């Protein structure tokens, strides 16, 4: 049995606890939140009558002595939670983003290394079935090597709360999902970025609700991102809408179930090469899916076997570097080099 303390009992914690209910061999030993009543309410909601409730993570860790910590706090508190978890010899699975600054990201990854603890990030878009299918399809070479990756993200959520007061809200709180998916699907290594942010007249956010970025992902691959969190009408999927252009064809994914590809065929129609549909294979049995559920299962497997989880912090820091590179570019108006070596 793996014992876990979950810290941060806001709305997002439901996604975690819904997944936990489906996993055998995992027990929530404690719930921590600055608002004790909120933690108690979550314990009642999920029938966690034996869980220790507290407002101090250190105190609850001292009392429960768990194997791991689930971090669902706001990004600004991420470093404090991580250092506390590692000081108590706990493994750590954290909500995205890994940290709220490059310095804090490096500090967390280094602390995990020094403690010899497993540290992973809930980068759950990697566990979307079509993301797995796209990566496998592109790896097959069926349409050649990818050269241009384009993602559109247009949704208008009224969150209320901290997001509407954040700086760089779209880039810092949401875009990492799309950036990490792009890096994964085309096996990209981010090298540089140019980004512009703006605040449309209709925005209800303080800053950074709309952004456009162009990334060099290495190996001749360029990734463009266009996004807005105040774009009413014709909204995209939360997974974005994608076009991936390769040497001998293209792939389209609407972010839902619409996934299709075309490959160059013999002959031309005038000056345009002919193309024909090509199947994107279904999931392979070894493909890991399931969102939060899949990631938590992989995290548990890593604890039990000593293996490295796919979304380990030491690798995820590369995707986070894309976020902070984009923010720096937006602030300075310059193309920014991205440097983030795997730990």
């Amino acid at each position: 049995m793996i014992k876990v303390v979950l810290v941060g009992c806001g709305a997002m914690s439901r996604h975690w606890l819904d997944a936990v209910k489906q996993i055998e061999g995992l027990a929530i030993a404690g719930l921590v939140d600055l608002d004790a009543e909120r933690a108690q309410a979550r314990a009642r909601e999920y029938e966690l009558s034996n869980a220790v409730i507290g407002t101090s993570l250190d105190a609850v860790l001292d009392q429960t002595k768990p194997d791991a910590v689930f971090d669902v706090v706001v990004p600004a508190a991420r470093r404090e939670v991580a250092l506390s978890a590692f000081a108590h010899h706990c493994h750590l699975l954290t909500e995205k983003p890994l940290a709220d600054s490059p310095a804090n990201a490096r500090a967390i990854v280094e602390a995990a290394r020094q403690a010899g603890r497993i540290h992973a990030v809930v980068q759950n878009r990697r566990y979307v079935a079509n993301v797995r299918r796209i990566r496998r399809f592109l790896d097959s070479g069926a349409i050649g090597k990818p050269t241009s990756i384009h993602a559109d993200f247009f949704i208008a959520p009224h969150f209320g709360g901290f997001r509407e007061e954040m700086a760089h809200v779209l880039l810092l709180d949401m875009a990492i999902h799309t950036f990490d998916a792009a890096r994964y699907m085309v096996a990209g290594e981010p090298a540089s970025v140019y980004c512009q942010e703006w605040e449309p007249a209709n925005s209800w956010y303080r800053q950074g609700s709309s952004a456009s970025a162009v990334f060099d992902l290495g190996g001749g691959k360029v990734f463009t991102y266009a996004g807005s969190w105040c774009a009413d009408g014709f909204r995209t999927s939360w997974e974005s809408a994608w076009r991936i252009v390769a040497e001998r064809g293209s792939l389209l994914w609407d972010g839902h179930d619409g996934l299709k590809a075309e490959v160059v065929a013999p002959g031309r129609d005038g000056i345009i090469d002919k193309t024909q549909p090509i199947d994107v294979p279904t999931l392979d049995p070894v493909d890991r899916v399931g969102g939060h559920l899949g990631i938590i299962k992989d995290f548990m497997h890593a604890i039990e076997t000593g293996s490295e989880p796919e979304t380990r912090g030491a690798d995820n820091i590369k995707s986070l570097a894309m976020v902070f590179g984009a923010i720096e570019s937006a602030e300075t108006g310059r193309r920014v080099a991205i440097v983030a070596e795997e730990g």
Side-chain angles (χ1 to χ4, degrees):
M1 180 67 68
I2 293 177
K3 292 171 54 181
V4 174
V5 166
L6 183 145
V7 53
C9 296
M12 184 58 69
S13 66
R14 286 195 174 98
H15 294 283
W16 292 64
L17 293 171
D18 286 342
V20 167
K21 288 195 302 184
Q22 304 175 61
I23 301 175
E24 293 184 5
L26 177 60
I28 298 297
L31 294 171
V32 178
D33 197 278
L34 294 176
D35 182 345
E37 291 185 2
R38 183 161 55 191
Q40 290 165 354
R42 197 66 79 229
R44 290 192 297 270
E45 180 181 357
Y46 286 89
E47 299 179 345
L48 300 171
S49 58
N50 294 325
V52 175
I53 307 298
T55 58
S56 165
L57 177 58
D58 285 331
V60 173
L61 293 179
D62 285 337
Q63 184 173 346
T64 58
K65 295 179 172 52
D67 303 291
V69 170
F70 286 172
D71 167 11
V72 201
V73 300
V74 296
R78 194 82 73 219
R79 177 173 176 166
E80 181 181 355
V81 167
L83 297 184
S84 177
F86 298 142
H88 286 81
H89 310 292
C90 294
H91 304 289
L92 177 65
L93 180 62
T94 180
E95 188 56 67
K96 60 78 193 165
L98 187 160
D100 62 342
S101 72
N104 282 342
R106 290 190 294 269
I108 292 169
V109 170
E110 176 60 19
R113 188 192 66 78
Q114 291 187 3
R117 300 291 87 183
I118 293 168
H119 169 230
V121 181
V122 176
Q123 209 67 66
N124 57 3
R125 267 54 175 188
R126 289 203 183 199
Y127 287 66
V128 170
N130 280 336
V131 171
R132 297 295 192 188
R133 292 175 65 197
I134 290 169
R135 170 62 183 261
R136 187 175 296 281
F137 176 70
L138 293 174
D139 282 351
S140 76
I143 57 174
K145 296 179 180 179
T147 60
S148 305
I149 305 95
H150 308 281
D152 289 339
F153 178 87
F154 294 98
I155 302 182
H158 291 264
F159 290 111
F162 73 93
R163 286 184 179 86
E164 293 185 7
E165 297 302 321
M166 284 177 65
H168 311 291
V169 60
L170 179 66
L171 291 174
L172 189 57
D173 191 63
M174 185 65 201
I176 190 165
H177 281 309
T178 310
F179 295 175
D180 184 72
R183 186 168 77 87
Y184 170 75
M185 288 191 292
V186 303
E189 292 292 333
S192 66
V193 59
Y194 176 78
C195 180
Q196 182 175 353
E197 286 180 314
W198 66 99
E199 210 54 47
N202 62 300
S203 174
W204 48 92
Y205 294 87
R206 182 174 74 82
Q207 194 274 326
S209 68
S210 300
S212 179
V214 181
F215 291 90
D216 177 356
L217 290 186
K221 297 184 285 284
V222 173
F223 166 48
T224 70
Y225 171 83
S228 174
W229 252 355
C230 59
D232 287 303
F234 303 108
R235 70 174 183 263
T236 65
S237 160
W238 285 89
E239 274 49 85
S240 299
W242 297 79
R243 176 187 289 264
I244 298 177
V245 182
E247 295 168 316
R248 298 190 303 279
S250 293
L251 176 145
L252 293 178
W253 179 37
D254 65 2
H256 298 290
D257 295 327
L259 178 58
K260 57 186 178 181
E262 291 186 345
V263 65
V264 173
R268 286 183 178 170
D269 286 326
I271 61 173
I272 306 297
D273 286 332
K274 291 182 178 180
T275 59
Q276 61 189 27
I278 181 172
D279 289 336
V280 179
T282 58
L283 279 175
D284 188 281
V286 302
D287 288 330
R288 300 190 300 280
V289 295
H292 279 74
L293 177 60
I295 288 181
I296 293 173
K297 284 183 174 179
D298 272 6
F299 180 69
M300 289 180 61
H301 178 74
I303 293 174
E304 293 166 345
T305 65
S307 59
E308 288 279 6
E310 179 177 334
T311 60
R312 61 192 179 277
D315 175 74
N316 187 254
I317 198 170
K318 296 181 181 180
S319 297
L320 189 62
M322 294 173 70
V323 172
F324 290 123
I327 289 172
E328 181 181 346
S329 176
E331 290 180 337
T332 63
R334 300 193 302 269
R335 176 167 288 278
V336 170
I338 296 174
V339 180
E341 296 182 1
E342 183 171 339

